[in-house]
Amino acid sequence: MQCNSGLLPYGEILIQWEKNQREATKMIPELCNLRFERRLQRLELISLEQRRLRDQLIETFKYLNGLNYVILEGLFERDGNVRTRNNCQKLILKHFKTSQAMNFFLVKIAATRNQLPEHMVSAGTVNAFKNRLDKCWITNPPVL
């Protein structure tokens, strides 16, 4: 059964999948003595949490560029200030009164997307965005 990892729930299932990923990478004799992060790096894989973030960034890219068929008007607001550090297509972070809201998709993804460099967010196609994101994360993995 296949499903989009961007839609998977946190909790016990995600913990079990991460455990399975750890055990599966230990089965490779040359890598069994390495730390989990190093095993993933040698196999050119990313963790499940990074995969989820990647999928969310891709869906956000599609939404902002009109490439998906979901109409959610006003979901994201773009910042009109073109003089910014990382990219000129930043999203406005909404402020909430509770700390629980900081885990809300729109807040988390906007903060992460705003840190991406200009050449990444201005990609012309989804595949170009994916390739640039993957290339960037090889050298600078995201901080989760």
Side-chain angles (χ1 to χ4, degrees), residues 111-124:
T112 303
R113 186 183 178 282
N114 287 346
Q115 295 174 358
L116 296 177
E118 174 69 31
H119 76 281
M120 221 178 282
V121 296
S122 62

Side-chain angles (χ1 to χ4, degrees), residues 68-87:
N68 63 2
Y69 301 105
V70 178
I71 299 173
L72 299 171
E73 215 169 295
L75 184 63
F76 293 104
E77 290 182 51
R78 293 182 195 252
D79 189 354
N81 184 4
V82 294
R83 298 181 66 182
T84 59
R85 289 186 187 184
N86 295 330
N87 67 68

Side-chain angles (χ1 to χ4, degrees), residues 42-53:
R42 293 274 300 273
L43 294 169
E44 296 181 5
L45 297 173
I46 58 176
S47 71
L48 294 173
E49 198 168 349
Q50 289 172 333
R51 171 90 185 227
R52 183 182 179 112
L53 178 61

